[in-house]
Amino acid sequence: MKLLEERILREGKVGANGVLKVDGFLNHQLDVALLRELGQEFARLFRDCGVTKILTVEASGIAVACLTAEQMGVNVVFAKKSRSRNLTGEVLTAPVESFTRGGTYDVMVSREFLKQEDRVLLIDDFLASGSALEGLLSLTEQAGCSVAGAGVCVEKAFQKGGARLRSRGLRVEALARIESMDAAGGIVFCRETD
Ligand code: 5GP
């Protein structure tokens, strides 16, 4: 998506640790008008898929998930990363390896918000090694619901997550796919020929 690629080129900062910082519009300050456009695009891509619910993970996935959900007329469930007192009843849990912070954490949702009859669209800001989406997939498997696919704003295609998830049969749509990036500032996007 040209709009997102241009914004990344203009404002994205590549860290030496392989992390792309986009704090000015996606990860800290939120450019709601831009996120609405991203939400519209996800809604268009998945419009005929019978989606009944969007599942994301706190915190950075929530905003774009909400703007997608608004377009699709469905609710958002966000998986929590820490066990709070208001997470009651039966709780589904899956481990995730954190790419940005290192270490492992659990993602958790109340079973009451993922029903067997739900058809779920997974949404997240970034796809890198794929662990976050795999954690969300595991939650849907435990809940027994079906998955329409996953929408991510940015896929770092030079990491293995996207290929692994697609080889599992998951439909993964990325609005910007980065082929390579380096700390000197060079960011190259994938150009699909098909
Ligand atoms: P994965 O689980 O696919 O390795 O990483 C996805 C998660 O890590 C996303 O939810 C995102 O928050 C974070 N992440 C991974 N790579 C990046 C990156 O380059 N920049 C930012 N801002 N977040 C990232």
Side-chain angles (χ1 to χ4, degrees):
M1 191 182 182
K2 210 165 170 31
L3 190 67
L4 179 59
E5 290 183 356
E6 284 170 357
R7 195 64 181 269
I8 291 169
L9 288 178
R10 227 173 35 242
E11 291 184 30
K13 303 247 178 333
V14 182
N17 50 3
V19 172
L20 175 64
K21 269 175 73 85
V22 285
D23 284 1
F25 57 95
L26 185 59
N27 286 143
H28 195 3
Q29 173 170 263
L30 300 171
D31 180 337
V32 179
L34 173 69
L35 299 188
R36 178 162 289 122
E37 302 257 6
L38 306 188
Q40 273 165 2
E41 183 60 6
F42 285 133
R44 189 188 68 76
L45 289 165
F46 289 98
R47 76 180 154 216
D48 296 323
C49 301
V51 172
T52 63
K53 199 156 278 184
I54 291 179
L55 178 63
T56 187
V57 57
E58 66 178 355
S60 298
I62 294 176
V64 71
C66 287
L67 288 158
T68 307
E70 188 178 44
Q71 298 294 321
M72 299 184 97
V74 299
N75 284 338
V76 174
V77 177
F78 64 93
K80 299 190 179 213
K81 293 180 178 171
S82 59
R83 190 172 278 274
S84 68
R85 275 191 203 166
N86 49 24
L87 198 58
T88 53
E90 191 183 349
V91 175
L92 309 175
T93 301
V96 170
E97 270 174 49
S98 171
F99 180 78
T100 43
R101 290 163 198 255
T104 303
Y105 61 89
D106 282 335
V107 283
M108 291 163 275
V109 293
S110 262
R111 182 184 278 278
E112 72 173 300
F113 298 123
L114 281 185
K115 303 257 190 270
Q116 220 170 344
E117 57 272 24
D118 272 325
R119 184 146 175 82
V120 174
L121 172 61
L122 310 176
I123 293 282
D124 205 3
D125 57 342
F126 272 83
L127 168 58
S129 66
S131 188
L133 285 182
E134 279 169 349
L136 295 181
L137 264 183
S138 167
L139 297 177
T140 61
E141 280 160 11
Q142 292 172 53
C145 45
S146 66
V147 176
V152 293
C153 301
V154 186
E155 175 181 356
K156 293 189 290 180
F158 55 89
Q159 292 187 245
K160 298 277 182 279
R164 209 173 51 235
L165 288 160
R166 290 183 182 100
S167 74
R168 281 177 67 173
L170 183 73
R171 176 180 172 196
V172 180
E173 298 284 354
L175 302 186
R177 298 187 73 226
I178 297 177
E179 185 177 273
S180 64
M181 61 185 207
D182 64 66
I187 298 175
V188 177
F189 294 100
C190 301
R191 286 286 162 250
E192 264 77 24
T193 45
D194 53 345

